[in-house]
């Protein structure tokens, strides 16, 4: 009898604002499924953001759904063809970034989880000191507006990465499985199982 891998569950503590995020990763599901909830207070607003992400076998994002409640009331569905075209739930093209590099990752602006996606996808082929330029469907927080983003990931150690986007950079430390453990001064994993 084949043993099914248990899901990984992680709890991140927000360091720069009051907040937490809980996430569950179901590796054995086909496609792999990631789901979670982030609770963040910003200014006088309180935000609860639930999300679900599906990945294909090459760790490319294929489907994203987000529901925000509190200071922002919104929902969003994105579907990717895995080659750089992103559509909303009603089929409208949101991002068409199919040239090299194609936009195959999603970046949720409220979550450290999605920084693991390009690390899982790129990690085995990137040596320490090398940089990978990527493009993403970037879901901005708290508006949930979707824009095309350009980012880079430089491997600076076996489990450390330098992340850069326009006007921002941060060092990210990951666990042995590539899951974000520490994200600069913004997030830190404080609990984990599986």
């Amino acid at each position: 009898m084949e043993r099914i891998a248990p899901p990984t569950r992680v709890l991140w503590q927000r360091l720069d604002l009051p907040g937490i995020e809980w996430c569950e990763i179901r590796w054995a599901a086909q496609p792999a499924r990631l789901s979670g909830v982030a609770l963040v207070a910003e200014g006088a607003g309180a935000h609860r953001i639930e999300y679900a992400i599906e990945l294909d076998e090459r760790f490319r994002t294929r489907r994203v759904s987000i529901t925000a409640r509190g200071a922002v009331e919104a929902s969003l569905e994105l579907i990717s063809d895995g080659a750089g075209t992103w559509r909303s739930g009603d089929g409208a093209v949101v991002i068409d970034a199919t040239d090299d590099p194609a936009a195959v990752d999603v970046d949720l602006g409220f979550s450290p989880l999605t920084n693991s996606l390009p690390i899982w996808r790129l990690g085995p082929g990137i040596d320490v000191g090398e940089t990978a330029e990527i493009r993403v469907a970037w879901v901005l927080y708290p508006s949930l507006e979707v824009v095309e983003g350009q980012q880079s990931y430089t491997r600076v150690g076996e489990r450390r990465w330098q992340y850069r986007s326009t006007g921002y950079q941060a060092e990210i430390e990951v666990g042995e499985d590539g899951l974000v453990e520490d994200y600069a001064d913004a997030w830190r994993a404080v609990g984990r199982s599986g």
Side-chain angles (χ1 to χ4, degrees), residues 63-146:
R63 182 178 293 269
V64 179
S65 61
I66 302 168
T67 303
R69 298 287 178 255
V72 173
E73 300 277 335
S75 62
L76 173 68
E77 183 175 10
L78 294 173
I79 301 163
S80 170
D81 65 359
T85 300
W86 294 78
R87 297 180 184 276
S88 62
D90 65 5
V93 173
V94 178
I95 293 175
D96 188 10
T98 56
D99 51 336
D100 190 30
V104 297
D105 300 301
V106 71
D107 186 327
L108 304 182
F110 56 85
S111 173
L113 169 68
T114 51
N115 292 97
S116 289
L117 304 182
I119 291 170
W120 290 335
R121 191 171 55 77
L122 300 166
I126 302 291
D127 292 327
V128 173
E130 291 184 332
T131 299
E133 302 290 333
I134 68 167
R135 290 160 65 195
V136 299
W138 203 342
V139 180
L140 304 180
Y141 163 80
S143 69
L144 301 189
E145 176 187 1
V146 181

Side-chain angles (χ1 to χ4, degrees), residues 14 17-20 38-42 45-49 110 141 187:
R14 184 90 186 231
L17 298 168
I20 58 170
L39 305 172
V40 180
E42 188 168 14
H47 305 268
R48 175 189 168 96
I49 310 162
F110 56 85
Y141 163 80
W187 293 95

Side-chain angles (χ1 to χ4, degrees), residues 36-69:
V37 60
L39 305 172
V40 180
E42 188 168 14
H47 305 268
R48 175 189 168 96
I49 310 162
E50 295 182 48
Y51 61 86
I53 301 171
E54 292 180 4
L55 305 177
D56 68 17
E57 68 282 351
R58 292 170 48 197
F59 296 105
R60 296 174 301 184
T61 305
R62 299 310 293 266
R63 182 178 293 269
V64 179
S65 61
I66 302 168
T67 303
R69 298 287 178 255

Side-chain angles (χ1 to χ4, degrees), residues 161-173:
W161 296 77
Q162 183 74 36
Y163 161 77
R164 287 187 175 86
S165 61
T166 305
Y168 181 77
Q169 66 179 14
E171 189 165 298
I172 298 170
E173 185 172 338

